[in-house]
Amino acid sequence: MARRTAAASQPDAHARSAANDAASRIAAWQRRAGRHGLPWQQTRDPYRIWLSEIMLQQTQAATVVPYYERFLDLFPTVVDLADAAQDAVLHAWAGLGYYARARNLHRCAQVLRDAHGGRFPATAEELARLPGIGPSTAAAIAAFAYGERAPILDGNVRRVLSRYFAVEGDPTGARTLQRLWAHAQALIDAAPAALDMAAYTQGQMDLGATVCTRTRPDCARCPLEADCRARIEGRQDALPSPRARRAQPLRHCWMLIAECKGRVLLERRPDAGIWGGLWSLPQFEDTGALQAACAGLATAGSPQAMAAIDHVFTHFRLRIQPCLLKLPGTVLVPAEPGRAWVPIGTLDAYGMPAPVARLLAGLYPGKLPPR
């Protein structure tokens, strides 16, 4: 596992000295001043912990809370999640983004049901072998559910350790990650046997989310202030080292809102690529393809262009040009494979990308809740 290999690097003398009581200080700070009201903090159930950890990847806690609570209402156990249809899982996830997480969540639940009797493995090493669970997520589950002394290294923790140990380099690069894993392991190795792993693990996350923030860190509130090298050297704003910024390319697409007899034509996205597995509007790369699709719907009319909308992904921006086509016929043209004519009143039952759901909610008020 990458975490074990990376941790083999030895931190320098300053790091070993600084690690002596840092973990205990973080745990004590968390019990005193950390976050305690998040719904997944009051449990040792690995299912609930796993669910929260997957949802929290690249998503803020305030956004996650309502999704987390709704998921547990729909899928109270990992077997309930495994038995659910993928459409139901994607629909419950719609709006959280990074939809591969939802597909992996469902697949992981099925592996747990079929190969583990619906039980979670009890070690980080075994957890990391499951679909969609990386080394840091596995360690977090093991620490919270079982008290395992396993280091984590999510985005918040990378920032904390980069500053505390003054680690140079892109914190997502392989060499820098190797050093950070080594420091994360050293903190645990130097900690007393009685270290409260749940408080320590949560404390690292809380520090990065609420104190050692990306901009304007509040060093006066930090339990590591006294020996944080970035603070001592006045380099809080310079660390972690910034990633090389790349220009975000702008891509264009056309989406067809074909309406007939109170129904809208939807198509399922392929599992690979953006919005994988969700239901969306038929999408085209140019107006020629759009016009050909309209002709295939047996209408002489032209689609009506609506206001374009932009949606930002991690590596590019997508400009969506929606076009509305109201078919005058009284008989629906048969939908091609992978497409369906969906009654407007049931659109909310389909898991859709957030920008598509917002577009249809504006066009058909009251039929879909706002996202």
Side-chain angles (χ1 to χ4, degrees):
M1 190 166 67
R3 173 175 60 83
R4 302 298 185 193
T5 302
S9 299
Q10 293 299 314
D12 60 25
H14 170 85
R16 289 193 296 272
S17 174
N20 285 339
D21 66 344
S24 295
R25 280 183 280 156
I26 291 172
W29 173 86
Q30 199 285 326
R31 290 190 292 267
R32 180 182 70 254
R35 297 178 294 185
H36 296 278
L38 298 172
W40 47 83
Q41 290 182 300
Q42 314 306 320
T43 182
R44 294 178 69 88
D45 179 354
Y47 171 60
R48 292 172 178 244
I49 293 166
W50 165 66
L51 178 60
S52 70
E53 289 297 322
I54 299 299
M55 286 187 166
L56 286 165
Q57 292 172 1
Q58 304 188 48
T59 309
Q60 294 183 346
T63 301
V64 165
V65 169
Y67 282 91
Y68 173 81
E69 293 175 338
R70 185 162 59 248
F71 243 77
L72 288 177
D73 286 341
L74 293 168
F75 318 114
T77 70
V78 70
V79 174
D80 292 321
L81 178 58
D83 290 345
Q86 180 173 282
D87 268 354
V89 177
L90 290 171
H91 181 249
W93 191 275
L96 263 182
Y98 301 99
Y99 293 95
R101 293 183 296 173
R103 295 194 300 276
N104 283 333
L105 195 81
H106 192 220
R107 187 156 59 96
C108 183
Q110 293 174 330
V111 171
L112 287 165
R113 178 196 62 193
D114 299 340
H116 297 270
R119 297 177 181 273
F120 280 78
T123 68
E125 187 171 0
E126 292 174 292
L127 286 163
R129 298 190 187 116
L130 294 170
I133 300 183
S136 185
T137 299
I141 297 167
F144 286 130
Y146 308 117
E148 183 179 346
R149 291 170 70 97
I152 64 169
L153 200 64
D154 67 7
N156 282 327
V157 178
R158 289 199 299 267
R159 183 167 57 254
V160 171
L161 296 185
S162 292
R163 286 174 174 158
Y164 184 56
F165 293 108
V167 175
E168 305 273 1
D170 178 355
T172 64
R175 294 185 64 180
T176 308
L177 277 173
Q178 184 177 17
R179 293 183 62 197
L180 292 173
W181 274 119
H183 287 308
Q185 185 66 57
L187 289 175
I188 290 178
D189 291 343
L195 176 69
D196 182 342
M197 277 304 299
Y200 171 57
T201 303
Q202 185 65 53
Q204 294 175 88
M205 299 175 178
D206 291 354
L207 269 182
T210 66
V211 174
C212 192
T213 48
R214 187 172 59 86
T215 58
R216 302 178 66 181
D218 190 353
C219 295
R221 293 176 51 213
C222 180
L224 304 181
E225 177 194 18
D227 52 353
C228 173
R229 286 184 59 181
R231 187 203 61 78
I232 293 169
E233 298 168 8
R235 303 173 62 208
Q236 299 96 313
D237 292 338
L239 293 170
S241 301
R243 299 177 64 181
R245 285 189 173 273
R246 297 180 180 177
Q248 253 189 354
L250 176 63
R251 302 180 187 175
H252 294 79
C253 75
W254 283 256
M255 286 190 178
L256 176 63
I257 308 170
E259 180 186 327
C260 184
K261 296 185 64 179
R263 295 171 180 258
V264 172
L265 186 64
L266 297 184
E267 70 176 11
R268 189 192 290 277
R269 303 279 305 184
D271 283 345
I274 62 172
W275 301 326
L278 295 180
W279 287 92
S280 187
L281 295 166
Q283 181 174 321
F284 308 94
E285 299 305 311
D286 54 55
T287 55
L290 171 68
Q291 293 290 351
C294 292
L297 292 172
T299 175
S302 296
Q304 174 188 351
M306 302 172 62
I309 56 176
D310 284 2
H311 187 71
V312 179
F313 293 93
T314 304
H315 301 297
F316 67 95
R317 289 186 301 126
L318 181 65
R319 178 156 298 163
I320 302 169
Q321 175 60 69
C323 296
L324 176 63
L325 181 68
K326 294 192 176 184
L327 283 79
T330 57
V331 178
L332 287 172
V333 176
E336 299 175 6
R339 291 182 175 179
W341 286 102
V342 176
I344 293 172
T346 67
L347 286 170
D348 187 42
Y350 288 74
M352 288 184 281
V356 174
R358 286 195 295 268
L359 174 64
L360 293 177
L363 189 61
Y364 306 111
K367 302 303 182 183
L368 288 91
R371 292 181 182 171

